[in-house]
Amino acid sequence: MRKNSLKNTRINGEVQRVLAEIIRSDIKDPRIHPMTSVVSVSVAPDLKTCKAWISVLGDEKAVEDTLAGLKSAGGYIRRELARQINLRNTPEITFVMDQSIAYGVDMSRKIDEVMGTHSAEE
């Protein structure tokens, strides 16, 4: 299976949907922040590995705690994924923090500051 094939794209979407549902409703770890979302998922063509980019709406401590909680629940998450999705292999999941949302909010705030300063000078 090629990396950008239609089948791989469908698998990525399905894994992302199921992963988000597992994190939202099945995991009871208090370290995992309630405002955690799965931004993107990339399953390798051989179905052995998977990178899941997650975003946490919170401070730096909430981000670190959520990553630690997800890493410790990795076995449970993988088992639930195997139960809900019928794949030849169940991928080993690596959680990666996605900073794009926080970056976008920060850039928007900076633009607002510059625009506010600029219009005050005129």
Side-chain angles (χ1 to χ4, degrees), residues 12-26:
N12 287 344
E14 186 66 14
V15 169
Q16 179 178 354
R17 186 187 65 75
V18 172
L19 204 56
E21 183 63 33
I22 291 169
I23 291 171
R24 184 174 344 128
S25 61
D26 293 352

Side-chain angles (χ1 to χ4, degrees), residues 3 5-6 27 40 46 54 57 91 96 107-108 117:
K3 187 159 180 76
S5 69
L6 186 61
I27 299 178
S40 175
D46 63 356
I54 61 164
L57 192 64
V96 181
M107 289 307 289
S108 179
T117 306

